[in-house]
Amino acid sequence: MDNVYDVIIIGAGPAGLSAGLYAGRSLLKTLIIEKITEGGQIVSSSIIENYPGSIEDESGFSLIERMVNQVKSFNTEIVKDNIIEIDLSSNIKKIKCLKETYYAESIILALGASPRKIGCKGEEDYIGKGVSFCATCDGAFFRGLDIYVIGGGDSAVEEALFLTKFGKKVTIVHRRDTLRATKNLQRRAFNHEKIDFIWDSVVEEVKGDGLEANGLVLRNIKTGELTEIKASEEDKAIGIFVFIGLDPNTGILEDKIDMKNGYVIGDEDMKTNIEGVFVAGDCKYKSIRQVVTAVSDGAIAAINAEKFLDTKKE
Ligand code: NAP
């Protein structure tokens, strides 16, 4: 059958593409299924400084573009399709998508993770009208305005630095008084003349005039005090960029595989509790989530998928 693959990789982020490269290069019949577009989370990163061998001014987009070309050169197929149902229980795994149903001897789960929402009043109403989860995509819309970045991790601080290109001022709103981001990013943010901080605070509400966001209500978690931030009379709008962590894209796997806190459990060989099913990248239960660890997971998963297929044939 044409649609039975040696390996099907679910997700075309760094982990999936790396797995696709290794599997394709091992001459395995390999398919990557991607729901939206190649790259996952990383395409929204404005600058990649810590991926070994990155070219000058490397962005998430440029890195992924080169990865995709490399993967395709080894005959790994990439299809855009939306998975409706996945059956990992039999020897041949079945993936039912909107357009097609695919079968595989082995599977690599590289589903990634998505930006977490604040969940406060007004957030949903102003997504795309002032509230954004992607500085590269939307930063330019807020040229000359005040920008608020919510979060204190690597993403928040890295993207706040990027947003100084556009914003009149960039204010990082963090729920504690110490940043989680790496020391190098912290140093750059603390030294940046356009970056300010609001500590110990969370967003209670996003306000706006129906067309664009123009205010925030913050709650100081130590004192309980509420503060309202408003756009100036002349600006009339503010930018709000939310980087408060990620949620794994594993809904489709619920009750089908061992997971912890929504992340798929895998060992150091990327093996899950199901024979022939491997996991790689941000959807794996682990402590470090970087592009470099995702591509490493992908390579290990593909090498072990190949070993699994070899033993299956014996
Ligand atoms: P993260 O490391 O999980 O940080 C999330 C931040 O948001 C934390 O500061 C957290 O506060 C805060 N937060 C969480 N929930 C919140 C809520 N409900 N309200 C307000 N604040 C909230 O997430 P991330 O920065 O998106 O990074 C995800 C992963 O990608 C991490 O492993 C990170 O190292 C990696 N990453 C790496 C790079 C890089 O290496 N250049 C760049 C971006 C991301 P607390 O600190 O109080 O928990």
Side-chain angles (χ1 to χ4, degrees), residues 50 116 150-156 158 174-176 180 202 243-246 287-290:
N50 54 354
R116 186 175 295 149
I150 319 301
D154 284 335
S155 300
E158 202 164 73
H174 183 36
R175 66 180 176 182
R176 291 188 292 132
R180 179 179 292 278
V202 291
F243 300 106
I244 60 167
L246 306 170
S287 59
I288 310 288
R289 293 194 172 80
Q290 302 275 316

Side-chain angles (χ1 to χ4, degrees), residues 119-131:
C120 70
K121 193 173 166 197
E123 181 187 37
E124 287 289 341
D125 300 336
Y126 289 99
I127 291 176
K129 301 174 185 173
V131 175

Side-chain angles (χ1 to χ4, degrees), residues 41-42 45 47-51 113-119 150-159 173-182 185 201-203 221 242-246 263 282 286-293:
Q41 271 292 300
I42 200 65
S45 275
I47 181 141
I48 309 282
E49 290 179 329
N50 54 354
Y51 186 74
S114 302
R116 186 175 295 149
K117 292 180 183 170
I118 304 171
I150 319 301
D154 284 335
S155 300
V157 178
E158 202 164 73
E159 299 310 319
V173 179
H174 183 36
R175 66 180 176 182
R176 291 188 292 132
D177 59 4
T178 335
L179 294 172
R180 179 179 292 278
T182 52
L185 288 171
S201 298
V202 291
V203 180
I221 56 167
V242 182
F243 300 106
I244 60 167
L246 306 170
Y263 292 92
D282 281 2
K286 59 179 185 173
S287 59
I288 310 288
R289 293 194 172 80
Q290 302 275 316
V291 187
V292 78
T293 59

